[in-house]
Amino acid sequence: MGLVGTLQWFVFLAFMLVIFALCVWALVDCARRPAAAFVSAGKRTKNLWLTVTGIATVVSFLTLPPLSLSFFLGIVSAVAAIVYLVDVKPAVEPYSRRGGGGGPRGPSGGW
């Protein structure tokens, strides 16, 4: 493997490590949220999102060298994690704050 091949391998490794870290972040965040927050936000169930982010984490781990299962599967894992982090996480955050807030504006409705 020449210099270019070595550089490509390190770029690939860095890219797949970022995807793996993204998937782990999504899985841990999902696990920390209460199940009721998902229902309140209208974002399916916590178990569904735990399954999606869990599978994405396992698949992204399998795409790391030396296994390098498939680059395409790594991208699919990244998409699953990004959907959770960009769409679901912001929606469930207001319903999962400590202190028992009654919704996105707190127990009094914010008025």
Side-chain angles (χ1 to χ4, degrees):
M1 190 170 11
L3 179 63
V4 173
T6 302
L7 181 62
Q8 286 176 328
W9 188 85
F10 278 111
V11 169
F12 175 77
L13 175 64
F15 189 64
M16 297 317 281
L17 282 171
V18 167
I19 290 174
F20 178 64
L22 197 67
C23 291
V24 169
W25 176 25
L27 178 62
V28 169
D29 185 82
C30 184
R32 292 181 49 224
R33 304 284 173 194
F38 291 83
V39 176
S40 297
K43 294 296 179 183
R44 302 287 180 165
T45 64
K46 179 178 180 172
N47 286 340
L48 174 90
W49 284 108
L50 280 173
T51 302
V52 168
T53 56
I55 290 171
T57 302
V58 169
V59 169
S60 67
F61 177 75
L62 293 175
T63 61
L64 291 172
L67 296 176
S68 297
L69 187 67
S70 168
F71 181 73
F72 176 74
L73 291 177
I75 298 299
V76 171
S77 298
V79 168
I82 290 168
V83 166
Y84 173 81
L85 292 170
V86 171
D87 182 43
V88 179
K89 181 181 182 267
V92 298
E93 255 180 337
Y95 299 99
S96 55
R97 294 221 166 88
R98 300 207 188 268
R105 297 182 183 261
S108 65
W111 302 105

